[in-house]
Amino acid sequence: MFLYIAHHLLSWEWPGFVTDAWDEVLPVMTVSLVVTMAVTSVFIWYDPPWLKSTGNLITTAFGLVVAVRMWQVFPFDFSGYEVDWSGLARFVVGVSIAGMIIGLFAETVKLTTWLLRER
């Protein structure tokens, strides 16, 4: 569903603040969503701690790539609104990047701890 929505935002012309630069973010977002769907599908059938951590590392890394690309391209234009939300939107993207970096670190520690404990 998110994949469908991401690919149709521009043709729907909604929300109005998404610009044509969205096409520059869409390829990495598509890969990230497909990887997330694949990892989640695996978790349905098999999810030992080491695999769960590895899957979380993979999906978070792809999410980080999307967020960084979003920061670089910033495919939003709030100039048609009474309030320019650009600063807040950039802040949210920045906080998500920081959160994913912290998440990658935490998940790496979790996986390493689990692997060392299982030796």
Side-chain angles (χ1 to χ4, degrees), residues 1-47:
M1 179 167 88
F2 288 119
L3 194 55
Y4 181 82
I5 291 169
H7 279 268
H8 289 86
L9 282 178
L10 290 178
S11 63
W12 292 337
E13 297 178 1
W14 183 90
F17 56 81
V18 176
T19 68
D20 290 341
W22 182 256
D23 283 336
E24 296 177 43
V25 176
L26 198 54
V28 292
M29 183 175 288
T30 299
V31 171
S32 178
L33 289 169
V34 170
V35 166
T36 299
M37 287 186 282
V39 169
T40 303
S41 296
V42 170
F43 288 164
I44 291 171
W45 303 107
Y46 188 66
D47 69 343

Side-chain angles (χ1 to χ4, degrees), residues 45-64:
W45 303 107
Y46 188 66
D47 69 343
W50 67 269
L51 183 61
K52 187 81 169 166
S53 285
T54 303
N56 289 343
L57 281 168
I58 291 167
T59 57
T60 303
F62 276 96
L64 180 59

Side-chain angles (χ1 to χ4, degrees), residues 19-26 28 66-77 90 93:
T19 68
D20 290 341
W22 182 256
D23 283 336
E24 296 177 43
V25 176
L26 198 54
V28 292
V66 172
V68 167
R69 187 67 181 145
M70 192 81 65
W71 180 273
Q72 293 169 337
V73 173
F74 199 70
F76 309 115
D77 178 16
R90 277 214 183 262
V93 173

